[in-house]
Structures are given as C-alpha cells and as structure tokens.
Amino acid sequence: MGREWISCVIDTRDFATTTTYRSILLNNNCILKSFLIIVANNTEVGGGIGGTGLNSIITQNRITKGKYGINVDSDPLIHNNLVDHISSGIFAFNSNSIIRQNVIYTDPNSQSAVVAGIRLEAFNNSYSPTVDSNYIELNRRGEGIRKSFGTNPTINNNTFILKHISTIGIWLSSSDSAKVYNNSIYAEE
C-alpha cells in the first residue's frame, strides 16, 4: 500500500472534537478511493468514514489518527485500505459488508474502552458480514476481530499479529453461528 494511491488529503484535525464526528459521511452508491484522511490529533475522538453507504465501495484509502477508521451501518465493500493509529479500525453495525484485504494497525496509546481491528455488531443475527484476508496488528491491548452481539460473520484467511500479552486475535462473545477458518494468529510477547 504505497503513497502512489493518494490523490487527495482530507485533514480534519481542527474539527474532530467529539466521538461522533466523521471526516466523511458516505452516501449510497459511492466510490471512495485514493484519499488520505487525517481524522484527529488523538485516537479518542472522531472517525474517518461513516454513514450508510449502501452499494458503495471504500478502497485504497489511508485513514489515520482517530477513534474509528471506517464506521458503517450498511453493506459496502471495504477493500484494500490502510488504517493506522486508530482505536477501532473498521466498525460494521447491522451490516452485510465485505471487509477484505485491509491493513489495520491499532494505536498503542489508545485509552478507549474498546480497541479492535474490526468490530462486528448487530441488533439481531440476520446480518452476515464477510471478513476475509485482512492483516491486523494489535500494538497494546484489544481484539483483532471483536464480534459482540448479533451477526453471523464468516471470518477467514486473516493474519493477526499480537504485540502485547493483553491482546486477543478473535473474540466472538457468545456466538454459536460465526464461521471461522484458516486464520493465522502470531503472538510476539
């Protein structure tokens, strides 16, 4: 994921002062490609990309410094993005998203209650997101993939690097329907 992708820089550090702030609100039927999004001055406020984004594609972006990298409540394709220095890299709520081939580095200094590379949640089990072939590096604490309540995800072919003793590769809460296979989890400590 080289810098040759980036065609435009969006710097919202002066505006991101709350946890609900989003640098970009994605509408339906959009392609969001080749942006560098600098969200905030720390990982306790703001998010890079949020919104509905039905039938949308989020690809080849770099999102850095914020509470959330990508936060969606719909079904976009989230593909080939770099998300770094973030408390929660990708948060999919009530979503059938395809989350594929992203690189996520959590912030080692995050004080957020939840630190996760990818978070999956829903009001019920009628949602089936796919999380495939992502690289997630946890630098202090948290989960590589955190599935809380709801959703029936398929989680496969992901690589997790755990750089601290208090990190977890995949956390499924009380799941009886998640499909998890062929993931690699490496611990460095």
Side-chain angles (χ1 to χ4, degrees):
M1 294 196 189
R3 287 183 222 152
E4 63 275 1
W5 283 1
I6 304 304
S7 63
C8 184
V9 176
I10 298 173
D11 185 344
T12 59
R13 288 179 282 191
D14 291 339
F15 307 107
T17 58
T18 67
T19 58
T20 58
Y21 178 84
R22 299 295 179 262
S23 300
I24 295 175
L25 288 176
L26 191 66
N27 286 322
N28 298 338
N29 305 305
C30 291
I31 297 174
L32 185 65
K33 181 178 180 181
S34 301
F35 287 90
L36 167 58
I37 303 165
I38 306 168
V39 179
N41 289 313
N42 63 64
T43 60
E44 306 310 310
V45 296
I49 301 167
T52 55
L54 286 169
N55 301 314
S56 293
I57 299 171
I58 302 169
T59 188
Q60 295 183 349
N61 300 289
R62 178 180 176 208
I63 302 110
T64 188
K65 288 195 178 177
K67 186 170 182 73
Y68 298 104
I70 300 170
N71 183 359
V72 295
D73 55 357
S74 62
D75 306 332
L77 169 62
I78 303 170
H79 175 259
N80 205 23
N81 297 284
L82 171 61
V83 182
D84 64 293
H85 290 88
I86 297 284
S87 293
S88 288
I90 298 171
F91 184 16
F93 184 78
N94 286 348
S95 175
N96 291 308
S97 294
I98 297 172
I99 303 168
R100 180 172 284 143
Q101 294 178 330
N102 299 284
V103 175
I104 301 168
Y105 298 93
T106 60
D107 180 23
N109 299 311
S110 176
Q111 297 300 311
S112 291
V114 176
V115 175
I118 298 173
R119 290 177 64 183
L120 306 171
E121 293 181 13
F123 287 132
N124 59 54
N125 287 330
S126 65
Y127 298 94
S128 299
T130 299
V131 180
D132 177 41
S133 302
N134 298 283
Y135 175 90
I136 301 170
E137 193 168 292
L138 296 163
N139 290 304
R140 184 165 156 244
R141 62 183 177 86
E143 298 90 18
I145 295 176
R146 178 187 178 102
K147 181 222 172 279
S148 293
F149 50 90
T151 78
N152 293 306
T154 300
I155 301 169
N156 60 293
N157 302 317
N158 299 285
T159 300
F160 304 91
I161 306 297
L162 312 179
K163 293 196 160 211
H164 193 272
I165 196 165
S166 60
T167 54
I168 298 167
I170 301 171
W171 186 75
L172 297 175
S173 185
S174 59
S175 179
D176 66 351
S177 58
K179 297 174 236 23
V180 180
Y181 56 94
N182 200 35
N183 296 280
S184 299
I185 302 172
Y186 303 95
E188 290 188 356
E189 254 185 63

Coordinates of all heavy atoms in Angstrom, one line a residue, residues 30-104:
C30 N -21.7 5.1 -3.8 CA -20.5 5.9 -4.0 C -19.2 5.0 -4.1 O -19.2 3.9 -3.6 CB -20.3 6.8 -2.7 SG -21.5 8.1 -2.6
I31 N -18.2 5.6 -4.7 CA -16.9 5.0 -4.7 C -16.0 6.0 -4.0 O -15.9 7.2 -4.5 CB -16.4 4.7 -6.1 CG1 -17.3 3.6 -6.7 CG2 -14.9 4.2 -6.0 CD1 -16.9 3.4 -8.2
L32 N -15.4 5.6 -2.9 CA -14.5 6.5 -2.2 C -13.1 5.9 -2.3 O -12.8 4.8 -1.8 CB -14.9 6.6 -0.7 CG -14.0 7.6 0.1 CD1 -14.2 9.0 -0.4 CD2 -14.4 7.5 1.6
K33 N -12.2 6.5 -3.1 CA -10.9 5.9 -3.5 C -9.8 6.9 -3.4 O -10.0 8.1 -3.9 CB -11.1 5.3 -4.9 CG -9.8 4.6 -5.4 CD -10.1 4.0 -6.8 CE -8.8 3.3 -7.3 NZ -9.0 2.8 -8.6
S34 N -8.7 6.5 -2.9 CA -7.4 7.2 -3.0 C -7.3 8.5 -2.2 O -6.7 9.5 -2.6 CB -7.1 7.6 -4.5 OG -7.0 6.4 -5.3
F35 N -7.9 8.5 -1.0 CA -7.8 9.6 -0.1 C -6.9 9.3 1.1 O -6.9 8.2 1.6 CB -9.2 10.0 0.5 CG -10.1 10.6 -0.5 CD1 -10.9 9.9 -1.3 CD2 -10.1 12.0 -0.6 CE1 -11.7 10.5 -2.2 CE2 -10.9 12.6 -1.6 CZ -11.7 11.9 -2.4
L36 N -6.2 10.3 1.6 CA -5.5 10.2 2.9 C -6.4 11.1 3.8 O -6.6 12.2 3.6 CB -4.1 10.9 2.8 CG -3.4 11.2 4.2 CD1 -3.3 9.9 5.0 CD2 -2.1 11.8 4.0
I37 N -6.9 10.4 4.9 CA -7.8 11.1 5.8 C -7.1 11.1 7.2 O -6.9 10.1 7.8 CB -9.2 10.3 5.9 CG1 -9.8 10.2 4.5 CG2 -10.1 11.0 6.9 CD1 -10.9 9.2 4.4
I38 N -6.8 12.3 7.6 CA -6.2 12.5 8.9 C -7.3 13.0 9.8 O -7.8 14.2 9.6 CB -5.0 13.5 8.9 CG1 -4.0 13.1 7.8 CG2 -4.4 13.7 10.2 CD1 -3.0 14.2 7.5
V39 N -7.8 12.2 10.7 CA -9.0 12.5 11.4 C -8.9 13.5 12.6 O -9.5 14.5 12.6 CB -9.6 11.2 12.0 CG1 -10.9 11.4 12.7 CG2 -9.9 10.2 10.8
A40 N -8.0 13.2 13.5 CA -7.9 13.9 14.8 C -6.5 14.0 15.2 O -5.6 13.5 14.6 CB -8.8 13.3 15.8
N41 N -6.3 14.7 16.4 CA -5.0 14.8 17.0 C -4.7 13.6 17.9 O -3.6 13.5 18.4 CB -4.8 16.1 17.8 CG -4.7 17.2 16.8 OD1 -4.0 17.2 15.8 ND2 -5.5 18.3 17.1
N42 N -5.7 12.8 18.2 CA -5.5 11.6 19.1 C -6.6 10.5 18.7 O -7.4 10.8 17.8 CB -5.6 12.0 20.5 CG -7.0 12.5 20.9 OD1 -8.0 11.8 20.8 ND2 -7.0 13.8 21.3
T43 N -6.5 9.4 19.3 CA -7.4 8.3 19.0 C -8.6 8.2 19.9 O -9.2 7.1 20.0 CB -6.6 7.0 19.0 OG1 -6.1 6.7 20.3 CG2 -5.6 7.0 17.9
E44 N -9.0 9.3 20.6 CA -10.1 9.3 21.5 C -11.3 9.9 20.8 O -12.4 9.8 21.4 CB -9.8 9.9 22.8 CG -8.5 9.4 23.5 CD -8.5 7.9 23.6 OE1 -9.5 7.3 24.1 OE2 -7.5 7.2 23.2
V45 N -11.2 10.6 19.7 CA -12.3 11.3 19.1 C -12.3 11.1 17.6 O -11.3 10.8 17.0 CB -12.2 12.9 19.4 CG1 -12.4 13.2 20.9 CG2 -10.9 13.5 18.9
G46 N -13.5 11.3 17.0 CA -13.6 11.3 15.6 C -13.5 10.0 14.9 O -13.0 9.0 15.4
G47 N -14.0 10.0 13.6 CA -13.9 8.8 12.8 C -13.6 9.3 11.4 O -13.9 10.4 11.0
G48 N -13.0 8.5 10.6 CA -12.6 8.8 9.2 C -13.8 8.8 8.3 O -14.1 9.8 7.7
I49 N -14.4 7.6 8.1 CA -15.5 7.4 7.2 C -16.7 6.8 8.0 O -16.6 5.9 8.7 CB -15.1 6.5 6.1 CG1 -13.9 7.0 5.3 CG2 -16.3 6.3 5.1 CD1 -13.2 6.0 4.4
G50 N -17.9 7.4 7.8 CA -19.1 6.9 8.4 C -20.2 7.1 7.5 O -20.1 7.6 6.4
G51 N -21.4 6.6 7.9 CA -22.6 6.8 7.1 C -23.2 5.4 6.6 O -22.8 4.4 7.0
T52 N -24.2 5.6 5.7 CA -24.9 4.4 5.2 C -24.1 3.7 4.2 O -23.7 2.5 4.3 CB -26.3 4.8 4.7 OG1 -26.1 5.8 3.7 CG2 -27.2 5.3 5.8
G53 N -23.9 4.3 3.0 CA -23.0 3.7 2.0 C -23.5 2.4 1.4 O -22.7 1.6 1.0
L54 N -24.8 2.3 1.2 CA -25.4 1.1 0.5 C -24.8 1.0 -0.9 O -24.7 2.1 -1.6 CB -26.9 1.2 0.4 CG -27.6 0.9 1.7 CD1 -29.1 1.3 1.6 CD2 -27.5 -0.5 2.1
N55 N -24.4 -0.1 -1.3 CA -23.9 -0.4 -2.6 C -22.7 0.5 -2.9 O -22.5 0.9 -4.1 CB -25.0 -0.1 -3.7 CG -26.1 -1.1 -3.5 OD1 -26.0 -2.2 -3.3 ND2 -27.3 -0.5 -3.6
S56 N -21.9 0.8 -1.9 CA -20.7 1.7 -2.1 C -19.4 0.8 -2.0 O -19.4 -0.3 -1.5 CB -20.7 2.8 -1.0 OG -21.8 3.6 -1.3
I57 N -18.3 1.5 -2.4 CA -17.0 0.8 -2.4 C -16.1 1.8 -1.7 O -16.0 3.0 -2.1 CB -16.5 0.5 -3.8 CG1 -17.4 -0.5 -4.5 CG2 -15.1 0.0 -3.7 CD1 -17.1 -0.7 -5.9
I58 N -15.4 1.3 -0.7 CA -14.4 2.1 0.0 C -13.1 1.4 -0.2 O -12.8 0.3 0.3 CB -14.7 2.2 1.5 CG1 -16.1 2.8 1.8 CG2 -13.6 3.0 2.3 CD1 -16.6 2.7 3.2
T59 N -12.2 2.0 -1.0 CA -11.0 1.3 -1.4 C -9.8 2.2 -1.6 O -9.9 3.4 -1.9 CB -11.2 0.5 -2.7 OG1 -10.1 -0.3 -3.0 CG2 -11.5 1.4 -3.9
Q60 N -8.6 1.7 -1.3 CA -7.3 2.3 -1.5 C -7.2 3.7 -0.8 O -6.7 4.6 -1.3 CB -7.0 2.5 -3.0 CG -6.8 1.1 -3.6 CD -6.4 1.2 -5.1 OE1 -6.5 2.3 -5.7 NE2 -6.0 0.1 -5.7
N61 N -7.7 3.7 0.4 CA -7.6 4.9 1.3 C -6.7 4.7 2.4 O -6.5 3.5 2.8 CB -9.0 5.3 1.8 CG -10.0 5.6 0.7 OD1 -9.9 6.6 0.0 ND2 -10.9 4.7 0.5
R62 N -6.2 5.7 3.0 CA -5.4 5.6 4.2 C -6.2 6.5 5.2 O -6.4 7.7 5.0 CB -4.0 6.1 4.1 CG -3.3 6.0 5.5 CD -1.8 6.4 5.4 NE -1.3 6.4 6.8 CZ -0.3 7.2 7.2 NH1 0.3 8.0 6.4 NH2 0.1 7.1 8.5
I63 N -6.6 5.9 6.4 CA -7.2 6.7 7.4 C -6.3 6.6 8.7 O -5.9 5.5 9.1 CB -8.6 6.1 7.7 CG1 -9.5 6.1 6.4 CG2 -9.3 6.9 8.8 CD1 -9.7 4.7 5.9
T64 N -6.0 7.7 9.3 CA -5.1 7.7 10.4 C -5.6 8.7 11.5 O -6.2 9.7 11.2 CB -3.7 8.1 9.9 OG1 -2.8 7.9 11.0 CG2 -3.6 9.5 9.4
K65 N -5.2 8.3 12.7 CA -5.5 9.1 13.9 C -6.9 9.4 14.2 O -7.4 10.5 13.9 CB -4.6 10.4 13.9 CG -3.2 10.1 14.1 CD -2.4 11.3 14.5 CE -1.0 11.0 14.7 NZ -0.2 12.1 15.0
G66 N -7.6 8.5 14.8 CA -9.0 8.8 15.2 C -9.5 7.6 16.1 O -8.9 6.6 16.2
K67 N -10.7 7.8 16.6 CA -11.3 6.7 17.4 C -11.7 5.6 16.4 O -11.5 4.4 16.7 CB -12.5 7.2 18.2 CG -13.1 6.2 19.1 CD -14.1 6.8 20.0 CE -14.7 5.8 20.9 NZ -13.8 5.3 22.0
Y68 N -12.4 5.9 15.3 CA -12.8 4.9 14.3 C -12.1 5.3 12.9 O -12.0 6.4 12.6 CB -14.3 5.0 14.1 CG -15.1 4.6 15.3 CD1 -15.7 5.6 16.1 CD2 -15.2 3.3 15.7 CE1 -16.4 5.3 17.2 CE2 -15.9 3.0 16.8 CZ -16.6 4.0 17.6 OH -17.3 3.7 18.7
G69 N -11.7 4.2 12.2 CA -11.3 4.4 10.9 C -12.5 4.5 9.9 O -12.7 5.5 9.3
I70 N -13.2 3.4 9.8 CA -14.4 3.3 9.0 C -15.5 2.7 9.9 O -15.4 1.7 10.5 CB -14.1 2.3 7.8 CG1 -13.0 2.8 6.9 CG2 -15.4 2.1 7.0 CD1 -12.5 1.8 5.9
N71 N -16.6 3.4 9.9 CA -17.8 3.1 10.7 C -19.0 3.1 9.9 O -19.5 4.1 9.5 CB -17.9 4.1 11.9 CG -19.0 3.8 12.8 OD1 -19.7 2.8 12.7 ND2 -19.1 4.6 13.9
V72 N -19.5 1.9 9.5 CA -20.7 1.8 8.6 C -21.8 1.0 9.2 O -21.6 0.2 10.1 CB -20.3 1.2 7.3 CG1 -19.3 2.0 6.5 CG2 -19.7 -0.2 7.5
D73 N -23.0 1.4 8.8 CA -24.2 0.6 9.2 C -25.0 0.2 8.0 O -26.2 0.4 7.9 CB -25.0 1.4 10.2 CG -25.5 2.8 9.7 OD1 -25.1 3.1 8.6 OD2 -26.2 3.4 10.4
S74 N -24.3 -0.3 7.0 CA -24.9 -0.8 5.8 C -24.0 -1.9 5.2 O -23.3 -2.5 5.9 CB -25.0 0.4 4.8 OG -23.8 0.9 4.5
D75 N -24.0 -2.0 3.8 CA -23.3 -3.1 3.2 C -22.3 -2.8 2.2 O -22.2 -3.3 1.1 CB -24.4 -4.0 2.5 CG -25.5 -4.4 3.5 OD1 -25.2 -4.5 4.7 OD2 -26.6 -4.7 3.0
P76 N -21.4 -1.8 2.4 CA -20.4 -1.5 1.4 C -19.3 -2.6 1.3 O -19.1 -3.4 2.2 CB -19.8 -0.2 1.9 CG -19.9 -0.3 3.4 CD -21.2 -1.0 3.6
L77 N -18.6 -2.5 0.2 CA -17.3 -3.3 0.0 C -16.2 -2.4 0.6 O -16.0 -1.3 0.2 CB -17.1 -3.6 -1.4 CG -15.7 -4.2 -1.8 CD1 -15.5 -5.5 -1.1 CD2 -15.5 -4.3 -3.3
I78 N -15.5 -2.9 1.6 CA -14.4 -2.2 2.3 C -13.2 -3.0 1.9 O -12.9 -4.1 2.5 CB -14.6 -2.1 3.8 CG1 -15.9 -1.4 4.1 CG2 -13.5 -1.4 4.4 CD1 -16.4 -1.4 5.5
H79 N -12.4 -2.5 1.0 CA -11.3 -3.3 0.3 C -10.0 -2.5 0.2 O -10.0 -1.4 -0.3 CB -11.8 -3.7 -1.0 CG -10.8 -4.5 -1.8 ND1 -10.1 -3.9 -2.8 CD2 -10.4 -5.7 -1.8 CE1 -9.3 -4.8 -3.4 NE2 -9.5 -5.9 -2.8
N80 N -8.9 -3.1 0.6 CA -7.6 -2.6 0.3 C -7.3 -1.2 0.9 O -6.8 -0.4 0.2 CB -7.4 -2.7 -1.2 CG -5.9 -2.8 -1.6 OD1 -5.1 -3.2 -0.8 ND2 -5.6 -2.4 -2.8
N81 N -7.7 -1.0 2.1 CA -7.4 0.3 2.8 C -6.3 0.1 3.8 O -6.1 -1.0 4.4 CB -8.7 0.8 3.5 CG -9.8 1.1 2.5 OD1 -9.8 2.1 1.8 ND2 -10.8 0.2 2.4
L82 N -5.6 1.2 4.2 CA -4.7 1.2 5.3 C -5.3 2.0 6.4 O -5.6 3.2 6.1 CB -3.3 1.8 4.8 CG -2.3 2.1 5.9 CD1 -1.9 0.8 6.6 CD2 -1.1 2.7 5.3
V83 N -5.4 1.5 7.6 CA -6.0 2.2 8.7 C -5.0 2.0 9.8 O -4.6 0.9 10.2 CB -7.3 1.5 9.1 CG1 -7.9 2.3 10.3 CG2 -8.3 1.5 7.9
D84 N -4.5 3.2 10.3 CA -3.4 3.1 11.3 C -3.6 4.2 12.4 O -4.3 5.2 12.2 CB -2.0 3.2 10.7 CG -1.8 4.6 10.0 OD1 -2.4 4.9 9.0 OD2 -0.9 5.3 10.6
H85 N -3.1 3.9 13.6 CA -3.2 4.8 14.8 C -4.7 5.1 15.0 O -5.1 6.3 15.2 CB -2.4 6.1 14.6 CG -0.9 5.8 14.6 ND1 -0.2 5.5 13.5 CD2 -0.1 5.8 15.7 CE1 1.1 5.3 13.9 NE2 1.2 5.5 15.2
I86 N -5.5 4.0 15.1 CA -6.9 4.1 15.3 C -7.3 3.2 16.5 O -6.7 2.1 16.6 CB -7.6 3.7 14.0 CG1 -7.3 4.6 12.9 CG2 -9.1 3.5 14.2 CD1 -8.0 5.9 12.9
S87 N -8.3 3.5 17.3 CA -8.8 2.7 18.3 C -9.6 1.5 17.8 O -9.4 0.3 18.2 CB -9.6 3.4 19.3 OG -8.8 4.3 20.0
S88 N -10.5 1.8 16.8 CA -11.2 0.7 16.1 C -11.1 0.9 14.6 O -11.6 1.9 14.1 CB -12.7 0.7 16.5 OG -12.9 0.3 17.9
G89 N -10.4 0.0 14.0 CA -10.1 0.2 12.6 C -11.4 0.2 11.7 O -11.6 1.2 11.0
I90 N -12.2 -0.8 11.7 CA -13.4 -0.9 11.0 C -14.5 -1.4 11.9 O -14.4 -2.4 12.6 CB -13.3 -1.8 9.8 CG1 -12.2 -1.3 8.8 CG2 -14.6 -2.0 9.0 CD1 -11.8 -2.3 7.7
F91 N -15.6 -0.6 11.9 CA -16.7 -1.0 12.8 C -18.0 -1.1 11.9 O -18.4 -0.1 11.3 CB -17.0 0.1 13.8 CG -18.0 -0.2 14.8 CD1 -18.6 -1.4 15.0 CD2 -18.6 0.8 15.6 CE1 -19.6 -1.7 16.0 CE2 -19.5 0.6 16.6 CZ -20.1 -0.7 16.7
A92 N -18.5 -2.3 11.8 CA -19.6 -2.6 10.9 C -20.8 -3.0 11.8 O -20.7 -4.0 12.5 CB -19.3 -3.8 9.9
F93 N -21.8 -2.2 11.8 CA -23.0 -2.4 12.6 C -24.2 -2.6 11.7 O -24.5 -1.9 10.8 CB -23.2 -1.2 13.5 CG -24.4 -1.3 14.5 CD1 -24.2 -2.1 15.6 CD2 -25.6 -0.8 14.2 CE1 -25.2 -2.3 16.5 CE2 -26.7 -1.0 15.1 CZ -26.5 -1.7 16.3
N94 N -25.0 -3.7 12.1 CA -26.2 -4.1 11.2 C -25.7 -4.1 9.7 O -26.3 -3.4 8.9 CB -27.3 -3.1 11.4 CG -28.0 -3.3 12.7 OD1 -27.8 -4.3 13.4 ND2 -28.9 -2.3 13.1
S95 N -24.7 -4.9 9.5 CA -24.1 -4.8 8.2 C -23.8 -6.2 7.6 O -23.5 -7.2 8.3 CB -22.7 -4.1 8.3 OG -22.0 -4.1 7.1
N96 N -24.0 -6.3 6.2 CA -23.5 -7.4 5.5 C -22.3 -7.1 4.6 O -22.1 -7.6 3.5 CB -24.7 -7.9 4.5 CG -25.8 -8.5 5.3 OD1 -25.7 -9.4 6.1 ND2 -27.0 -8.0 5.0
S97 N -21.5 -6.2 5.1 CA -20.3 -5.8 4.4 C -19.4 -6.9 4.1 O -19.3 -7.9 4.8 CB -19.5 -4.8 5.3 OG -20.2 -3.6 5.5
I98 N -18.6 -6.7 3.0 CA -17.4 -7.5 2.7 C -16.2 -6.6 3.1 O -16.0 -5.6 2.5 CB -17.4 -7.9 1.2 CG1 -18.6 -8.7 0.9 CG2 -16.1 -8.6 0.9 CD1 -18.8 -9.0 -0.6
I99 N -15.5 -7.1 4.0 CA -14.3 -6.4 4.5 C -13.1 -7.3 4.1 O -12.8 -8.3 4.7 CB -14.4 -6.2 6.1 CG1 -15.7 -5.5 6.4 CG2 -13.2 -5.5 6.6 CD1 -16.0 -5.5 7.9
R100 N -12.4 -6.8 3.1 CA -11.4 -7.7 2.5 C -10.0 -7.0 2.2 O -10.0 -5.8 1.7 CB -11.9 -8.2 1.2 CG -11.0 -9.2 0.4 CD -11.7 -9.8 -0.7 NE -12.6 -10.9 -0.2 CZ -13.7 -11.2 -0.7 NH1 -14.2 -10.5 -1.7 NH2 -14.4 -12.1 -0.2
Q101 N -8.9 -7.6 2.6 CA -7.6 -7.2 2.2 C -7.2 -5.8 2.7 O -6.6 -5.0 2.0 CB -7.4 -7.3 0.7 CG -7.4 -8.7 0.2 CD -7.2 -8.8 -1.3 OE1 -7.6 -7.9 -2.1 NE2 -6.7 -9.9 -1.7
N102 N -7.7 -5.5 3.9 CA -7.3 -4.2 4.6 C -6.1 -4.5 5.5 O -5.9 -5.6 6.0 CB -8.5 -3.7 5.4 CG -9.7 -3.4 4.4 OD1 -9.7 -2.4 3.7 ND2 -10.6 -4.3 4.5
V103 N -5.3 -3.4 5.8 CA -4.2 -3.5 6.7 C -4.6 -2.5 7.8 O -4.8 -1.3 7.6 CB -2.9 -3.1 6.0 CG1 -1.8 -3.0 7.1 CG2 -2.6 -4.1 4.9
I104 N -4.6 -3.0 9.1 CA -5.0 -2.2 10.2 C -4.0 -2.3 11.3 O -3.6 -3.4 11.7 CB -6.4 -2.7 10.7 CG1 -7.4 -2.6 9.6 CG2 -6.8 -1.9 12.0 CD1 -8.7 -3.4 9.9

